[in-house]
C-alpha cells in the first residue's frame, strides 16, 4: 500500500511525521505481553497532529486512499488495541496535551485527549478537587481511558471512566468534527452517541477533547490492608462487604507473593507481612468520624469472615504507596507471564470463580496467580510462561473464559476486546447484537479505515 508521507507532512508539518522504522518502534506496540501480542504491519507511518482540523484532513485523505488509521494514546493498553496490524497510519495523540480549563463552579475539567492521567490528577488536585477513578498506569491518556472505558481500583463506589465523561469532541472516520454533550449532568436529547463513543476502542471516531466531571475532595480517607491465610476467605468476604451498608471506593484482592514482588520491583515495602492474600479497602468519607465508622464496620466484617490481621493506613503518603504498589503489579508480573485475563462475574459469584480457577490450575498442574478488582467482580488471573512451553496456554485461557461465562460473566471487564480477544467473542456473543454492532461501525466508517480488526468481528 502506498502511503503518501509528503501529503501527511503537508497537513501536520515535516517534524511531525515519522517514516523511519527505527524511529517508530515505541509506536508499534502496546503493553500486551509478548506471548499474546500480534505483529505490527511492515508499512507504517506515524503522524502527530496538533488539532482536530489536522486529524480531519488526515482521515479524509485516508478515506480517499482507503488507508487504515490507528488512533494511539499512550500505548498502555493490554489488548493490542492501538497496534497497527495492517499497513497504515498511526495517529499519535501526544500533542493534545493541554488541560484547557478546571471549572470549579460546575465541577468539571476540560482536557485535550492526550493529557495523561497523571497530569489530570495533578491539575485536579491543584484545584482541590477529585477525579475518583484510578486505572493503574498514570501514563494512560484521557482519550485512551475514554476509548477503553478504563476502570481500575477505585470503581466500586464511584464507577468507571464512563460515569465521569460529560462531553466529547470527536473527529469521525469520515472527517467531520462533532461535539457531544457538555457540562451537563442530564442530557436525554436523542440517542446517546457520546456513550457509544465511550468504550468504542478507537473504531468509531478519534476523541480530541473531553469534559469530565469532578467531585469535591473527601474530608477523610483511609486504606485498610486485610490479611487472610486462605484466599477463598478473602474473596468470600467481598459480597459481605458489599452488603454491609458501607461502600468502599476500592475493594481489591491481591495474592501476597504477587504484591510483595510488585513492591520489591519498585524498591518499596508492602506493609503487611502475614497471610497468603490480602484485601485492600480504600475508604472515603465526609468527615474523619465517618471514615472511622467505616473502618470499624469493615474491620468487623473482615474479622467475622476469617481475617487474621488488619492494618489501617491513614497518612496520605502511606495510602499513596499502597495504591502505587497495587497499581504496578502488572509491570512486575509481565516478564513472568504468558498473559493475563480480565474476566468479570457477578459479585456473588466471586467465590465460585476462584474455585474454578483452582480447579483449572490443578487440572493443568500450574499456578494461577490472581489479583482482582474484587468489589467489581473483575479478576485478573495470570497465566505463567511455562504454559506456553507446554503448549497449553490457550487451553487454560479458554477454560477460564468458559468458567466465567458459565457464571454469567464476560471475557473482558475493563481492558476491552482489542485485537487479541476477537476470537473469544464467539464463546458468548449473541449474533444479532454483533450484527447491530457491525451496522453501527458501517454507518460511522463506511470504508472501515479506523482501527480495523478491533473490538468487533
Ligand atoms: C501497569 C498497567 C496497569 C493498568 N491498569 C488498568 C486498570 O486498573 N484498569 C483499566 O481499565 N486498565 C488498566 N490498564 C490498561 C490501560 O492503561 C487502559 O486501557 C488505558 O485506558 C489505555 O490508555 P492509553 O492512552 O494507553 O491507550 P492506548 O493503549 O494507546 O489505546 C487503547 C485503545 O484506545 C484507542 N484510543 C487511544 N486514544 C484514542 C483517542 N484519542 N480516540 C479514540 N481512540 C483512542 C486505541 O486505538 C486503542 O484501541 C493498565 C495498563 C498497565 C500497563
Amino acid at each position: 500500500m502506498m502511503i503518501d508521507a509528503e501529503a501527511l507532512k503537508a497537513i501536520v508539518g515535516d517534524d511531525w511525521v515519522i517514516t523511519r522504522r527505527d524511529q517508530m518502534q515505541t509506536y508499534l506496540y502496546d503493553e500486551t505481553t509478548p506471548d499474546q501480542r500480534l505483529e505490527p504491519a511492515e508499512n507504517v507511518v506515524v503522524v502527530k497532529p496538533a488539532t482536530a482540523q489536522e486529524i480531519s484532513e488526515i482521515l479524509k485523505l485516508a478515506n480517499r486512499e482507503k488507508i487504515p488509521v490507528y488512533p494511539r494514546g499512550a500505548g498502555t493498553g493490554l489488548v493490542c488495541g492501538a497496534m497497527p496490524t495492517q499497513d497504515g497510519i498511526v495517529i499519535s495523540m501526544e500533542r493534545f496535551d493541554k488541560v484547557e480549563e478546571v471549572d470549579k463552579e460546575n465541577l468539571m475539567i476540560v482536557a485535550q485527549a492526550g493529557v495523561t492521567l497523571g497530569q489530570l490528577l495533578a491539575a485536579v488536585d491543584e484545584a482541590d478537587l477529585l477525579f475518583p477513578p484510578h486505572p493503574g498506569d498514570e501514563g494512560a491518556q484521557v482519550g485512551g481511558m475514554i476509548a477503553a472505558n478504563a476502570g481500575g481500583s477505585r470503581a466500586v463506589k464511584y464507577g468507571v471512566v464512563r460515569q465521569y465523561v460529560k462531553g466529547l469532541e470527536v473527529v469521525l472516520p469520515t472527517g467531520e468534527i462533532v461535539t457531544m454533550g457538555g457540562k451537563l449532568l442530564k442530557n436525554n436529547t436523542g440517542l446517546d452517541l457520546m456513550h457509544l463513543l465511550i468504550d468504542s476502542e478507537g473504531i468509531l471516531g478519534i476523541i480530541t477533547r473531553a469534559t469530565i466531571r469532578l467531585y469535591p475532595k473527601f474530608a477523610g480517607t483511609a486504606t485498610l490492608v486485610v490479611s487472610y491465610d486462605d484466599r477463598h476467605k478473602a474473596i468470600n468476604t467481598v459480597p459481605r462487604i458489599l452488603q454491609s451498608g458501607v461502600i468502599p471506593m476500592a475493594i481489591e484482592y491481591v495474592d501476597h507473593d504477587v504484591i510483595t514482588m510488585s513492591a520489591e520491583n519498585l524498591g518499596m515495602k508492602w506493609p503487611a507481612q502475614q497471610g497468603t492474600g490480602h484485601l485492600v479497602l480504600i475508604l472515603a468519607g465526609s468527615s474523619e468520624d465517618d471514615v472511622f465508622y467505616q473502618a470499624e464496620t469493615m474491620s468487623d466484617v473482615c474479622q467475622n469472615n476469617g481475617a487474621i490481621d488488619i492494618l489501617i493506613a491513614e497518612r496520605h503518603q502511606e495510602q499513596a504507596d499502597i495504591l502505587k504498589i497495587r497499581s504496578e503489579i502488572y509491570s512486575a508480573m509481565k516478564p513472568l507471564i504468558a498473559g493475563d485475563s480480565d474476566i468479570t462475574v457477578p459479585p456473588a459469584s466471586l467465590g465460585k470463580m476462584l474455585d474454578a480457577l483452582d480447579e483449572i490450575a490443578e487440572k493443568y498442574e500450574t499456578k494461577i496467580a490472581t489479583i482482582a478488582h474484587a468489589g467489581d467482580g473483575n479478576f485478573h488471573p495470570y497465566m505463567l510462561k511455562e504454559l506456553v512451553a507446554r503448549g497449553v496456554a490457550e487451553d487454560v485461557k479458554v477454560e477460564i473464559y468458559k468458567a466465567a461465562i458459565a457464571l454469567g460473566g464476560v471475557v473482558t471487564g475493563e481492558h476491552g476486546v482489542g485485537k487479541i480477544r476477537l476470537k473469544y467473542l464467539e464463546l458468548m456473543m449473541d449474533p444479532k447484537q454483533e450484527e447491530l454492532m457491525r451496522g453501527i461501525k458501517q454507518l460511522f466508517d463506511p470504508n472501515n479505515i479506523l482501527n480495523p480488526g478491533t473490538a468487533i468481528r
Side-chain angles (χ1 to χ4, degrees):
M1 173 176 293
M2 170 65 194
I3 303 173
D4 186 349
E6 294 308 313
L8 292 169
K9 285 180 184 170
I11 297 171
V12 297
D14 291 0
D15 291 346
W16 306 111
V17 176
I18 307 176
T19 50
R20 279 183 47 185
R21 191 77 172 181
D22 58 340
Q23 292 175 352
M24 67 172 71
Q25 285 301 316
T26 53
Y27 295 91
L28 298 178
Y29 299 93
D30 66 3
E31 286 294 331
T32 309
T33 57
D35 285 305
Q36 292 188 117
R37 79 181 171 211
L38 307 169
E39 280 307 309
E42 282 301 317
N43 184 11
V44 174
V45 176
V46 177
V47 185
K48 304 179 187 181
T51 65
Q53 191 56 45
E54 287 178 1
I55 294 180
S56 164
E57 288 177 41
I58 297 165
L59 289 171
K60 283 180 186 159
L61 181 152
N63 260 299
R64 276 196 306 274
E65 308 293 331
K66 311 276 188 297
I67 302 171
V69 174
Y70 297 90
R72 181 180 183 87
T76 68
L78 302 172
V79 286
C80 296
M83 276 186 61
T85 44
Q86 296 175 31
D87 290 353
I89 301 166
V90 170
I91 295 191
S92 169
M93 297 300 290
E94 67 202 62
R95 292 174 71 205
F96 285 74
D97 60 355
K98 311 274 177 315
V99 172
E100 295 182 343
E101 183 191 4
V102 182
D103 179 347
K104 291 183 88 160
E105 288 298 306
N106 282 308
L107 295 171
M108 302 268 177
I109 185 166
V110 181
Q112 294 182 347
V115 166
T116 64
L117 173 62
Q119 276 176 278
L120 187 85
L121 291 174
V124 170
D125 190 56
E126 197 173 307
D128 213 22
L129 293 171
L130 183 78
F131 174 65
H134 193 270
D137 193 321
E138 292 189 8
Q141 294 181 0
V142 163
M145 290 191 295
I146 295 172
N149 185 26
S153 303
R154 302 195 303 207
V156 182
K157 190 170 189 176
Y158 294 100
V160 296
V161 163
R162 180 185 297 283
Q163 268 85 33
Y164 296 85
V165 180
K166 296 298 164 192
L168 288 181
E169 179 187 79
V170 177
V171 187
L172 298 178
T174 37
E176 299 88 347
I177 302 170
V178 293
T179 54
M180 302 165 175
K183 292 177 181 173
L184 301 168
L185 300 181
K186 283 185 170 175
N187 180 2
N188 276 352
T189 323
L191 294 181
D192 201 332
L193 297 179
M194 186 184 80
H195 277 279
L196 196 54
L197 259 295
I198 300 168
D199 193 27
S200 63
E201 300 193 43
I203 69 167
L204 297 183
I206 299 190
I207 298 159
T208 47
R209 175 187 282 119
T211 303
I212 296 170
R213 184 177 190 180
L214 303 175
Y215 282 82
K217 269 190 185 156
F218 300 111
T221 60
T223 300
L224 272 59
V225 179
V226 187
S227 302
Y228 292 83
D229 56 12
D230 171 359
R231 64 183 189 167
H232 290 261
K233 286 185 192 160
I235 284 290
N236 286 326
T237 306
V238 176
R240 305 282 91 79
I241 293 173
L242 292 171
Q243 291 152 11
S244 71
V246 168
I247 308 175
M249 264 173 93
I251 310 174
E252 297 285 298
Y253 169 78
V254 290
D255 283 348
H256 180 74
D257 47 1
V258 171
I259 194 85
T260 47
M261 195 183 297
S262 174
E264 279 161 22
N265 199 40
L266 293 164
M268 297 167 78
K269 192 166 186 297
W270 180 243
Q273 298 310 318
Q274 296 189 47
T276 55
H278 312 279
L279 290 181
V280 179
L281 311 179
I282 304 179
L283 307 174
S286 54
S287 66
E288 296 292 336
D289 284 351
D290 180 20
V291 176
F292 182 73
Y293 164 77
Q294 291 186 36
E296 291 264 284
T297 311
M298 289 299 92
S299 299
D300 289 348
V301 175
C302 293
Q303 264 157 1
N304 291 338
N305 285 277
I308 57 169
D309 192 36
I310 301 176
L311 298 172
I312 303 185
E314 286 167 302
R315 282 191 303 112
H316 176 77
Q317 193 55 48
E318 271 178 303
Q319 297 191 64
D321 287 351
I322 290 169
L323 183 62
K324 170 99 181 146
I325 296 169
R326 162 62 192 90
S327 298
E328 296 283 342
I329 285 178
Y330 180 74
S331 313
M333 291 299 288
K334 193 177 169 191
L336 308 176
I337 57 174
D340 64 337
S341 170
D342 180 35
I343 46 169
T344 302
V345 297
S349 300
L350 277 161
K352 286 188 182 145
M353 189 64 227
L354 191 61
D355 292 343
L357 289 174
D358 282 354
E359 279 164 29
I360 296 166
E362 198 178 338
K363 177 173 168 188
Y364 288 92
E365 297 175 345
T366 186
K367 181 173 161 63
I368 301 179
T370 299
I371 62 168
H373 302 303
D376 307 321
N378 184 192
F379 279 97
H380 295 317
Y382 289 129
M383 288 154 285
L384 297 176
K385 269 186 183 294
E386 52 103 10
L387 294 175
V388 178
R390 284 160 51 199
V392 293
E394 194 58 23
D395 298 346
V396 171
K397 198 187 293 178
V398 170
E399 290 218 22
I400 292 174
Y401 285 149
K402 284 185 174 167
I405 293 165
L407 291 169
V410 289
V411 299
T412 172
E414 59 174 19
H415 298 158
V417 174
K419 296 185 178 69
I420 63 168
R421 295 210 173 106
L422 285 174
K423 57 187 170 191
Y424 308 115
L425 292 182
E426 67 179 9
L427 296 174
M428 59 169 292
M429 285 296 273
D430 162 27
K432 183 66 197 173
Q433 290 192 45
E434 289 199 90
E435 185 190 320
L436 288 169
M437 289 179 196
R438 282 192 292 274
I440 290 167
K441 169 70 170 164
Q442 164 78 18
L443 204 58
F444 274 77
D445 186 10
N447 291 319
N448 191 26
I449 58 154
L450 200 59
N451 216 355
T454 306
I456 60 170
R457 297 191 291 167

